[in-house]
Amino acid sequence: MARRTNTIPDDFDEHIVDIDVQDEMRSSYLEYAYSVIYSRALPDARDGLKPVQRRILYTMNDMGVRPDRGHVKSARVVGEVMGRLHPHGDTAIYDALVRMVQPWSMRLPLIDGHGNFGSPDDPPAAMRYSECRMAPAALLMTAGIDEETVDFKPNYDSRELEPAVLPAAFPNLLVNGASGIAVGMATNLAPHNLIEVVQALRHLITHPEATLDDLMRFIPGPDLPTGGKIVGLDGVRDAYESGRGSFRMRASARVESVTPRRKGIVVTELPYNVGPERVIERIKALVQTKKLHGIADVKDLTDRAKGLQLVIEVKNGFNAEAILEQLFRQTPMEESFAINAVALVDGQPRTLGLREILDVYLHHKFDVVRRRSAFRRTKAQSRLHLVDGLLIAILDIDEVIQLIRSSEDPDQARRRLMDVFELSEIQATYILDMPLRRLTRFSRLELETEKIELERTIEQLTAVLEDDALLRTVVTDELAEVAKQHGTPRRTVLLESAGQLVTSAVPLEVADDPCRVLLSSTGLLARTVGEEPFGSDGQRAKHDTVVGLARTTARGSIGVLTSAGRLVKLGALDLPALPPTANAPHLQGGAPLSEFVALEPRERVVNITGLLPESLGLALGTARGVVKRVQAEVLGSRDSWHVIRLEDGDEVVGAQELGHADDEFVFITSDAQLLHFPASSVRPQGRSGGGIAGVRLNPGSRVIFFGAVDPGEDNVVVTVSGSSAALPGTEAGSVKVSRFAEYPAKGRATAGVRCHRFLRGEDLLITGFAGPTPVLAAAASGSPVDLPAEPGRRDGSGDPASQPIAAVGGRPGR
């Protein structure tokens, strides 16, 4: 078998063109950008349709798939559009068709679908499984397209013609909105109410000098297909004025009893383009991460009969109204909508305000009515001309028949009719082409009646074309009829207020009773109902332990103290309420601190304090041994402020609200020294003060605990030792419990006495605590850690701990 080889012929003329890559990329990219902007992504301001939407409606109109006929497969429509007019894939065509079906996407759907066209959360079925036909509103978009009302242009292969714009009997750009992303620009316009838009158009026709405020009396804001609420209208007015602005959309919800013993939040309307499954997923994520508390269950009870029905059950003891505010703040139940009204005007993209959109549509509508009137007048004039010829022929019907029979050919008969009866060529040809049975059927009375009607029609159409006021009246009447036939009541509620969410709003049914706020070792906050935070039996907590307590009232505030010396005010009602329990201080129903306080890097919460005026003030101790007292009257003026001036590298390690005038301050250092002295030896300072020396530190040591204790109570000291070479939280170390009374008092700014003897491999204290019994310890996870049952010697060593201890808490506050 012969072997084939590819060779270049000798006479081949090689031609290579050098092209600059930058120029080629620039020109190619610009061509692509122009194609996306003008032929794909942006709607025309006149009919509010993108090219693919316009082609779908035009093709369905040509196919005769009208509302009074049966549905056809969506795949058939997509195939016709793609084969005749649209040079892109079937997926893009079907996606556009689906959106024109969905009642939650368009305020006035243009296509009537049969089958699964999806939901706000789920995609539609494939095009081979769904059917469609034109909706009544689509007939308004294409009405009069065969009357030369719009211009036509060649399709992508120049074999057919397609409309450059549809006649559009209503302003679709405003009524159904638009969205699209082009190259370097995008458009996003919210739907509006048809009746309101028509009222504004009619007002603008009769008052061309109308201002934006005049128009907003008729169009106060968008009317979203899914209803809901629009909160704050300042952004809406900005969008109507400049074409750019944003507003907040909020779900419609109510609080009601969902079971005999439990209340719930029932959501009946969601923001535009937000589905129930998206809200449910977000709520579950927030609950799992403990960023949202008080929710027992979420159920989607949506059906065809009741519509949207999302039920959020609230746990007993939680305020449903407060949870609803948190849902608005943290879930898609409140979303923002940014208006960017970019559309094509005379083939160029422009950002349009409300007045400009209405003006562009009115000019288009005037042009459509003018061209339609001219077409109908021409058609009536042509028919009148033929009727005049028929009247002449009917008067002498026998002579006409004899003349035709005696003619040798049609051309001779035509000339003889024109000469004898003074007919035009068109009239003579019409008479010759008409069957004899039709010619004899005409009566003179019928023709004369038709002539009178045609003359009246021509006169009316001529008046419309020549009188601008009459043209405006026709447009006004047609718009009113459209609104009457297809208008629906407003669905979206407009709220003038900016709607800033205030999570500390106090419901009227909550009494301003005394309560206490608890802080756990894992950073959970909660408030108790009543004066006492837990029972007096001192039973062990099941989980976590309390490391801070603040006295306040249900409508009062507390202060959160951080290591940076900052005090942040929080409303007690924001915190989840714990019912009174006989056993104790666990906060499994608490909320994380991160939900209420935004901390800086390396900043941590030290303690909490009440802001009651009768308090004796606040005491703070720093890592470098500084102590400071702050008077109570300076603790409640702002929402966040610093209560101590810290030196570079220093931080607050402890803070305590003073309970008695004879309290003593306690310092425990990392090198196992303990110092306590009377609180009265420290003079109170203002917020800007930097404190005074509290304990003298040895080189390389720092304060690990500072607090205030009442000498009259049964106080203990807990110390946990470890190695500085071990990673934090990896070594259990040794723990010791000793009596506070065994430690002698020393003067302020002294070194104190030894409180713990290190074992081999230990060189520092990891954790320390001094306070009243009972004392509980917890690991980093919040699980309890057992402490030694019998107190040890003051300077003795500790016993091995079962696991690393992260926090120790007792019965804080008095």
Side-chain angles (χ1 to χ4, degrees), residues 33 36-38 40-42 180-187:
V36 173
I37 292 172
Y38 300 118
R40 294 173 64 180
L42 298 184
I181 301 176
V183 179
M185 61 184 66
T187 184

Side-chain angles (χ1 to χ4, degrees), residues 195-216:
I195 297 176
E196 295 175 355
V197 174
V198 167
Q199 289 175 343
L201 286 171
R202 298 182 68 190
H203 180 79
L204 190 58
I205 291 174
T206 56
H207 301 84
E209 71 288 348
T211 63
L212 178 60
D213 291 333
D214 296 334
L215 297 176
M216 287 189 66

Side-chain angles (χ1 to χ4, degrees), residues 345-616:
V345 179
D346 296 330
Q348 300 296 322
R350 285 179 52 190
T351 302
L352 307 173
L354 177 63
R355 170 64 188 260
E356 294 169 305
I357 294 176
L358 297 177
D359 281 336
V360 170
Y361 174 76
L362 279 182
H363 291 155
H364 173 62
K365 182 65 177 177
F366 289 149
D367 185 60
V368 167
V369 173
R370 191 178 294 110
R371 295 177 62 165
R372 184 190 65 197
S373 300
F375 175 85
R376 291 178 178 178
R377 184 179 67 173
T378 301
K379 187 176 180 180
Q381 290 172 339
S382 300
R383 177 60 184 172
L384 179 60
H385 185 60
L386 296 178
V387 169
D388 288 337
L390 287 174
L391 283 172
I392 295 175
I394 287 294
L395 292 176
D396 300 301
I397 184 65
D398 295 333
E399 185 176 353
V400 169
I401 294 174
Q402 181 62 33
L403 185 148
I404 295 174
R405 293 183 60 184
S406 61
S407 299
E408 296 181 358
D409 53 43
D411 289 338
Q412 184 182 20
R414 183 182 302 107
R415 289 194 301 271
R416 293 177 64 186
L417 286 173
M418 294 170 59
D419 293 339
V420 173
F421 298 101
E422 298 182 355
L423 300 175
S424 66
E425 183 176 356
I426 295 176
Q427 292 172 325
T429 302
Y430 182 75
I431 293 173
L432 287 174
D433 293 342
M434 182 178 293
L436 184 62
R437 63 178 180 272
R438 292 186 56 193
L439 185 62
T440 57
R441 191 179 61 190
F442 281 112
S443 68
R444 180 177 178 181
L445 182 61
E446 291 176 351
L447 290 174
E448 288 180 346
T449 301
E450 183 180 1
K451 179 180 179 180
I452 294 173
E453 293 178 353
L454 289 171
E455 289 175 343
R456 184 183 299 111
T457 300
I458 293 171
E459 181 181 359
Q460 293 173 351
L461 294 172
T462 302
V464 172
L465 292 172
E466 295 179 353
D467 188 351
D468 185 68
L470 188 57
L471 174 65
R472 291 175 174 271
T473 301
V474 172
V475 172
T476 299
D477 295 341
E478 290 185 0
L479 289 173
E481 185 63 25
V482 169
K484 180 180 178 181
Q485 295 293 331
H486 301 275
T488 55
R490 166 171 279 276
R491 300 175 185 173
T492 302
V493 177
L494 303 178
L495 301 178
E496 183 70 31
S497 171
Q500 297 296 327
L501 295 181
V502 183
T503 58
S504 60
V506 181
L508 296 177
E509 63 270 19
V510 177
D512 195 17
D513 296 329
C515 68
R516 300 204 178 192
V517 176
L518 308 179
L519 171 65
S520 78
S521 62
T522 55
L524 297 179
L525 279 175
R527 62 181 173 89
T528 63
V529 178
E531 185 73 12
E532 291 297 328
F534 42 84
S536 59
D537 57 355
Q539 187 176 346
R540 167 173 301 282
K542 299 178 181 178
H543 179 79
D544 213 342
T545 187
V546 173
V547 295
L549 180 146
R551 295 179 300 115
T552 183
T553 63
R555 298 187 185 183
S557 300
I558 65 163
V560 177
L561 291 148
T562 73
S563 58
R566 191 162 60 101
L567 189 145
V568 181
K569 186 190 296 185
L570 290 180
L573 194 63
D574 292 345
L575 309 177
L578 298 178
T581 60
N583 52 355
H586 60 91
L587 276 75
Q588 292 177 331
L593 269 166
S594 58
E595 187 174 342
F596 307 99
V597 180
L599 299 177
E600 298 294 333
R602 298 184 179 180
E603 186 181 17
R604 59 186 177 85
V605 173
V606 175
N607 207 340
I608 58 176
T609 179
L611 299 176
L612 298 176
E614 63 268 23
S615 171
L616 295 179

Side-chain angles (χ1 to χ4, degrees), residues 232-442:
L233 302 182
D234 292 340
V236 174
R237 195 187 191 287
D238 293 340
Y240 286 169
E241 184 174 10
S242 64
R244 296 178 184 271
S246 64
F247 57 85
R248 302 288 298 178
M249 303 177 294
R250 179 180 289 187
S252 294
R254 63 181 183 271
V255 176
E256 61 182 46
S257 297
V258 295
T259 66
R261 297 185 179 181
R262 178 168 289 175
K263 285 193 173 184
I265 300 169
V266 180
V267 182
T268 55
E269 294 175 346
L270 287 174
Y272 186 44
N273 291 331
V274 174
E277 290 191 11
R278 181 180 163 194
V279 175
I280 293 173
E281 290 177 2
R282 179 59 178 164
I283 292 176
K284 289 182 177 179
L286 291 172
V287 172
Q288 290 174 358
T289 57
K290 296 186 178 180
K291 295 181 179 179
L292 185 62
H293 296 265
I295 293 180
D297 194 10
V298 183
K299 299 177 182 178
D300 186 6
L301 304 181
T302 303
D303 57 25
R304 293 179 180 268
K306 298 180 181 179
L308 179 66
Q309 194 96 358
L310 190 62
V311 179
I312 305 170
E313 294 187 8
V314 178
K315 292 181 179 178
N316 293 331
F318 285 83
N319 189 302
E321 286 79 6
I323 291 178
L324 178 58
E325 291 296 325
Q326 292 187 16
L327 291 173
F328 287 145
R329 179 164 53 91
Q330 301 184 62
T331 72
M333 285 177 60
E334 180 166 308
E335 290 271 84
S336 62
F337 188 97
I339 294 179
N340 186 24
V342 178
L344 297 176
V345 179
D346 296 330
Q348 300 296 322
R350 285 179 52 190
T351 302
L352 307 173
L354 177 63
R355 170 64 188 260
E356 294 169 305
I357 294 176
L358 297 177
D359 281 336
V360 170
Y361 174 76
L362 279 182
H363 291 155
H364 173 62
K365 182 65 177 177
F366 289 149
D367 185 60
V368 167
V369 173
R370 191 178 294 110
R371 295 177 62 165
R372 184 190 65 197
S373 300
F375 175 85
R376 291 178 178 178
R377 184 179 67 173
T378 301
K379 187 176 180 180
Q381 290 172 339
S382 300
R383 177 60 184 172
L384 179 60
H385 185 60
L386 296 178
V387 169
D388 288 337
L390 287 174
L391 283 172
I392 295 175
I394 287 294
L395 292 176
D396 300 301
I397 184 65
D398 295 333
E399 185 176 353
V400 169
I401 294 174
Q402 181 62 33
L403 185 148
I404 295 174
R405 293 183 60 184
S406 61
S407 299
E408 296 181 358
D409 53 43
D411 289 338
Q412 184 182 20
R414 183 182 302 107
R415 289 194 301 271
R416 293 177 64 186
L417 286 173
M418 294 170 59
D419 293 339
V420 173
F421 298 101
E422 298 182 355
L423 300 175
S424 66
E425 183 176 356
I426 295 176
Q427 292 172 325
T429 302
Y430 182 75
I431 293 173
L432 287 174
D433 293 342
M434 182 178 293
L436 184 62
R437 63 178 180 272
R438 292 186 56 193
L439 185 62
T440 57
R441 191 179 61 190
F442 281 112

